[in-house]
Amino acid sequence: MMPVTSCHGLEITTIEGLGNRKKGYHPLQKTLAEDHGSQCGYCSPGLVMSMFSLVKTNPNITMLEIEKSLGSNVCRCTGFRPILEAFRKFAKDAPKQITLPDIEDLHICKKTGKECDKSNCEESEWCFVDKEECDKSNCEESEWCFVDKEDIIEIKLKDGRLWGRVQEVRDIFKILDREGDSSYMLIHGNTGKG
Ligand code: FES
């Protein structure tokens, strides 16, 4: 779910557009269901669409890339083992039969992309965030990634409110300086409103 104003400039495929009961399900949908990666189903559309987007932009995706990329999708029922087991079947380096350890036991370092053995790293005790910023060099995604490509986008809504999409925190202050800050809402995705 996301506000419609957030969709400016996006190409959208819905979960129903990918596959449905009438026209048949997509292999990603089928595999997730057959491998018991869906329980209440609340997270399943998001996981399938994230995975679809990954495979579409990188058909030669690896198991590690899949695991790293799905970190922002949260499942509160099934646990991540069956979900990863299902989706890793679409990786180019997937073995025929895979049994995974729990995701919590993998200790994949976001800095190196390798398993962390807690040695030779000053941050190993606490760091699990990739702090490296993208400088648009050495990046295969620079063609489609819109970071830095657009400045503030502003849309005047029918009820008089102003929607602004920013790329950087300082752009928020540019708008507040101009508009005043008596009443505003910060929206990140659609789950954090304040
Ligand atoms: Fe229920 Fe993932 S299956 S939240």
Side-chain angles (χ1 to χ4, degrees), residues 102-157:
D102 280 332
I103 191 168
E104 295 83 1
D105 297 331
L106 289 175
H107 302 303
I108 301 298
C109 176
K110 294 277 171 68
K111 237 178 181 177
T112 63
K114 294 178 183 149
E115 205 168 340
C116 175
D117 63 359
K118 301 276 176 189
S119 66
N120 301 322
C121 177
E122 287 171 7
E123 286 143 325
S124 63
E125 283 306 307
W126 59 273
C127 177
F128 59 93
V129 176
D130 182 357
K131 293 211 280 329
E132 285 176 39
E133 284 181 25
C134 177
D135 64 356
K136 292 281 171 191
S137 63
N138 303 320
C139 174
E140 288 170 9
E141 273 103 359
S142 58
E143 280 303 303
W144 60 265
C145 175
F146 60 82
V147 171
D148 286 339
K149 280 192 180 157
E150 291 177 276
D151 292 317
I152 301 169
I153 289 175
E154 291 182 287
I155 302 170
K156 192 87 178 164
L157 303 178

Side-chain angles (χ1 to χ4, degrees), residues 37-44 47 74-79 83:
S38 183
Q39 192 173 323
C40 80
Y42 192 84
C43 71
S44 307
L47 278 159
V74 177
C75 175
R76 292 185 171 91
C77 301
T78 317
I83 294 169

Side-chain angles (χ1 to χ4, degrees), residues 15 23 25-27 36 43 65 68 85-86 103 124 135 185-186 190:
I15 186 78
K23 79 170 191 186
Y25 290 106
H26 188 276
H36 313 290
C43 71
E65 286 169 331
K68 287 166 71 180
E85 280 181 349
I103 191 168
S124 63
D135 64 356
M185 184 185 286
L186 295 176
N190 199 44

